[in-house]
Amino acid sequence: MNTYAIRVIYKQEMMRAWETLLQSFASPVLSTSLYFVVFGSAIGSRIQHVEGVSYGSFIVPGLMMLALLTQSIANASFGIFFPKFTGAIYEVMSAPISFLEIILGYVGAAATKSFIIGLIILITASFFVPLHIAHPVWMVAFLVLTCISFSLFGFIIGLWADDFEKLQLIPLLVITPLVFLGGSFYSVSMLPPAWQTVTLFNPVVYLISGFRWSFFEVSDVSVAVSLSVVLVFLAACLLTVWWMFKTGYRLRQ
Amino acid sequence: MSQSSQTIVSISDLSKTYANGYQALKHVSLDIQRGEILALLGPNGAGKTTLISIICGIVNASSGTVTVGGHDIVSAYRITRGMIGLVPQELTLGAFDTVWNTLSFSRGLFGKKPNPAYIEALLKDLSLWDKKNSVLMALSGGMKRRVLIGKALSHEPTVLFLDEPTAGVDVELRKDMWALVRRLRESGVTIILTTHYIEEAEAIADRVGVINHGELLLVDDKLALMHKLGKRQMIIELETPLSAVPAELVAWGLELSEDGKELVYTYDPHKSNTGVNGLLQVINTAGLPVKDLRTTQTSLEEIFVSLVNKRS
Ligand SMILES: Nc1ncnc2c1ncn2[C@@H]1O[C@H](COP(=O)(O)OP(=O)(O)O)[C@@H](O)[C@H]1O
Ligand SMILES: [Mg+2]
């Protein structure tokens, strides 16, 4: 195990976030606060309660997920795309380092950043709404799993993208809609039955549902199913990255 | 070629076809000796970078094998890559790192424990010490090149690849680079450099490999190469200019220079009978007043041009 390599990659990636502190950490806080003002106060005052939870509190897990997913993908995809773009990737590719070590460095750093952002949002939210976390351990588990799997997903996008446009494409065209339609701001049970069925094909629904359960013990689907979906997604991402490195996909061909 | 214990890098039957179907390397076999400076000489697009990239693990080979220090570059990549340092052709550096951090990063990436004293000595050796806290973006091209060398040496490799180290570098810096390469070789590092400057290969290489269209045309000792392929010319400088080659000398295939002051005789110095003796006698008998005589050796450039032309 080349632990020095993991360490220097991780450190370099974390430094990058530190140097752009405002962008890395302040912007998610700001946008979350805005969501609270708009959805929590303005609209939420008319909705009152969803499944026995005040609307302002109800949207907290969804908001966190929205930020986690976008941040994980953005951080991890950029982290590997940028050296590809400058050409500096040659060094990582010529180093005595396995795909697992590369992932631990790059994806580990991206996931750490999103995790921190998730916590910051949680703290921010606590200033707006009363928060009670029913299952803190599960909450953290979902948080960690989400950060890791979507950072991995972002890493794949970063490996795949060969220009900036493609780098933006998936987050914009796939992730944002999936999160918005994934029950961040409503309960799936509020939808007409036909749409409820459609929604079940959206993996983000399971993520948000499980995460919300850890807060309020209310969920759209069972927790076990949520957890399985997250784990399957994680495994699929890992397999994809493994395959990409094995075949040298877009890197060594 | 037999593989001796002196072989540090052994390339055998290596081919590469890129994803777009272009065959950049065709059955290249080459043994690189421990401690030598090998120049891979070839025009743009010959396949030099591709060859290096495969050995360093950046590009996958299509077929063939490479060993470094006796270890296969695929199955024992951790060992082989740890032995190798690479200075890439392009100035590919991150933008926001400092010189110090980027060298420390490289060292760690190659699995070496931090060693600030070594990095310091390296930076001083590369005249980069006063730039250690500078951001890469702010450096000149020449400095960036030296930073890349520093990165490649940060993990104390035993084999160093320099891909066109002096492309676009002015004469003075080129001399500095050559001096650096020689110093490295003295410290025991094996050096493989690619170049399309003949004078570079001629100036610093021990051996030269000529590569074109993905084929390794020949590899030989630089001196032996010139010896083997070099034609020699004897230039006879005359007291009085001639308008034509005198009749009695026509049989020797002499060329007359434009101003009529020089007769040029081209011969193969390795033949038992070079004809020099006979020619001098004939000139003597013809009573041509000779002012001076000199011989020149064909440069690597001419050898190279003739080789490349022959094959394509
Ligand atoms: N990634 C690639 N995909 C397709 N063709 C490539 C790729 N890289 C290099 N080539 C082609 O392979 C040939 C050899 O390139 P290269 O090894 O860079 O040559 P050199 O370094 O001798 O100039 C060139 O014709 C180049 O266009
Ligand atoms: Mg090249």
Side-chain angles (χ1 to χ4, degrees):
Chain A
M1 197 77 166
N2 187 347
T3 49
Y4 289 114
I6 301 171
R7 260 189 258 177
V8 291
I9 294 176
Y10 187 85
K11 194 173 138 204
Q12 177 190 264
E13 289 302 294
M14 293 307 285
M15 289 278 283
R16 204 159 48 80
W18 192 248
E19 276 155 19
T20 52
L21 198 63
L22 204 67
Q23 197 195 328
S24 310
F25 298 120
S27 79
V29 173
L30 181 70
S31 56
T32 311
S33 306
L34 288 176
Y35 276 117
F36 270 113
V37 173
V38 175
F39 286 98
S41 307
I43 300 174
S45 60
R46 284 153 202 271
I47 300 183
Q48 303 297 346
H49 286 81
V50 180
E51 307 199 6
V53 181
S54 84
Y55 186 67
S57 307
F58 180 83
I59 62 171
V60 171
L63 274 181
M64 286 176 72
M65 277 295 160
L66 178 63
L68 285 186
L69 263 55
T70 22
Q71 289 295 323
S72 298
I73 292 175
N75 276 324
S77 63
F78 189 77
I80 192 72
F81 177 82
F82 191 63
K84 245 176 57 171
F85 177 74
T86 61
I89 189 83
Y90 83 90
E91 198 178 21
V92 176
M93 289 161 65
S94 65
I97 173 170
S98 71
F99 98 104
L100 211 61
E101 289 153 357
I102 295 182
I103 287 177
L104 283 172
Y106 281 103
V107 176
T112 308
K113 280 184 258 179
S114 328
F115 185 77
I116 295 172
I117 288 167
L119 290 185
I120 292 177
I121 291 175
L122 190 63
I123 294 165
T124 313
S126 71
F127 289 110
F128 290 90
V129 289
L131 273 179
H132 168 76
I133 302 166
H135 304 282
V137 176
W138 279 109
M139 195 278 287
V140 172
F142 267 108
L143 202 61
V144 170
L145 275 176
T146 308
C147 290
I148 294 176
S149 25
F150 280 84
S151 293
L152 258 178
F153 186 65
F155 190 75
I156 294 170
I157 293 174
L159 281 177
W160 163 79
D162 42 22
D163 55 38
F164 274 102
E165 219 162 273
K166 282 190 188 155
L167 197 65
Q168 312 282 344
L169 204 68
I170 304 257
L172 203 70
L173 291 186
V174 182
I175 299 302
T176 311
L178 283 186
V179 178
F180 271 90
L181 302 177
S184 326
F185 303 111
Y186 54 85
S187 163
V188 172
S189 61
M190 291 158 85
L191 295 173
W195 282 104
Q196 286 191 29
T197 317
V198 173
T199 297
L200 292 179
F201 290 98
N202 178 355
V204 177
V205 165
Y206 299 88
L207 214 61
I208 293 178
S209 164
F211 195 48
R212 187 172 284 141
W213 170 84
S214 73
F215 279 79
F216 311 122
E217 295 189 295
V218 294
S219 59
D220 294 321
V221 291
S222 91
V223 184
V225 174
S226 286
L227 196 62
S228 321
V229 170
V230 181
L231 290 175
V232 166
F233 182 66
L234 179 67
C237 288
L238 263 177
L239 263 175
T240 310
V241 178
W242 173 80
W243 172 83
M244 281 174 134
F245 275 90
K246 194 177 152 65
T247 58
Y249 176 83
R250 289 217 171 159
L251 274 181
R252 292 191 160 99
Q253 288 175 333
Chain B
M1 263 183 274
S2 76
Q3 195 172 328
S4 71
S5 61
Q6 282 310 98
T7 301
I8 183 108
V9 178
S10 181
I11 301 162
S12 108
D13 205 21
L14 195 67
S15 295
K16 173 66 187 178
T17 305
Y18 278 109
N20 64 3
Y22 185 84
Q23 192 175 9
L25 285 181
K26 299 164 188 162
H27 306 285
V28 171
S29 294
L30 168 67
D31 279 357
I32 297 164
Q33 306 304 311
R34 200 177 289 273
E36 75 173 336
I37 300 178
L38 175 77
L40 285 173
L41 188 59
N44 278 328
K48 306 183 293 296
T49 300
T50 302
L51 180 59
I52 288 187
S53 300
I54 291 174
I55 304 171
C56 294
I58 297 169
V59 167
N60 288 338
S62 302
S63 63
T65 55
V66 180
T67 62
V68 179
H71 306 281
D72 184 78
I73 58 160
V74 178
S75 60
Y77 71 94
R78 277 192 201 269
I79 303 174
T80 64
R81 292 187 199 171
M83 295 172 70
I84 295 174
L86 165 67
V87 182
Q89 182 173 354
E90 311 291 339
L91 295 177
T92 41
L93 276 173
F96 311 109
D97 264 349
T98 63
V99 171
W100 178 271
N101 284 347
T102 198
L103 260 71
S104 307
F105 174 80
S106 302
R107 185 176 170 88
L109 204 55
F110 280 74
K112 285 272 186 146
K113 198 165 114 194
N115 184 348
Y118 176 75
I119 302 285
E120 177 175 339
L122 189 55
L123 284 175
K124 285 181 174 160
D125 195 34
L126 292 165
S127 320
L128 283 170
W129 181 240
D130 55 331
K131 295 284 174 194
K132 66 177 191 296
N133 294 319
S134 300
V135 175
L136 297 174
M137 227 167 19
L139 300 179
S140 71
M143 286 183 209
K144 281 184 184 158
R145 177 83 59 193
R146 274 179 282 149
V147 170
L148 285 170
I149 296 177
K151 280 165 80 70
L153 293 173
S154 67
H155 64 280
E156 302 161 61
T158 47
V159 182
L160 182 67
F161 288 90
L162 291 154
D163 199 356
E164 309 224 3
T166 61
V169 163
D170 65 38
V171 179
E172 194 146 324
L173 282 175
R174 190 173 300 174
K175 294 262 161 69
D176 285 351
M177 184 76 70
W178 294 350
L180 175 69
V181 167
R182 290 198 190 96
R183 255 184 295 147
L184 284 171
R185 199 260 302 267
E186 270 156 35
S187 73
V189 179
T190 305
I191 292 158
I192 297 98
L193 63 90
T194 71
T195 181
H196 56 260
Y197 297 118
I198 320 284
E199 65 270 32
E200 184 151 80
E202 210 160 2
I204 55 170
D206 301 312
R207 285 200 307 154
V208 178
V210 179
I211 182 167
N212 196 33
H213 297 304
E215 281 178 277
L216 191 64
L217 302 180
L218 67 92
V219 194
D220 214 334
D221 214 73
K222 178 181 67 187
L223 298 176
L225 183 68
M226 296 200 300
H227 189 72
K228 214 186 284 174
L229 290 165
K231 287 271 189 279
R232 203 167 289 179
Q233 292 186 321
M234 181 167 70
I235 295 155
I236 303 145
E237 215 179 302
L238 305 165
E239 288 286 359
T240 46
L242 296 173
S243 54
V245 179
E248 51 271 65
L249 294 179
V250 165
W252 296 86
L254 298 182
E255 284 170 70
L256 186 63
S257 68
E258 237 167 77
D259 58 7
K261 286 184 184 165
E262 286 179 357
L263 282 168
V264 181
Y265 172 54
T266 305
Y267 62 98
D268 184 346
H270 314 298
K271 273 195 185 154
S272 54
N273 180 12
T274 58
V276 171
N277 232 341
L279 177 63
L280 287 177
Q281 275 174 12
V282 176
I283 288 174
N284 221 353
T285 343
L288 274 180
V290 172
K291 187 174 167 191
D292 199 6
L293 262 184
R294 65 179 197 273
T295 59
T296 60
Q297 179 95 28
T298 326
S299 75
L300 211 44
E301 176 128 34
E302 292 157 289
I303 296 172
F304 177 63
V305 168
S306 78
L307 259 177
V308 168
N309 289 341
K310 214 184 293 172
R311 297 288 179 116
S312 56

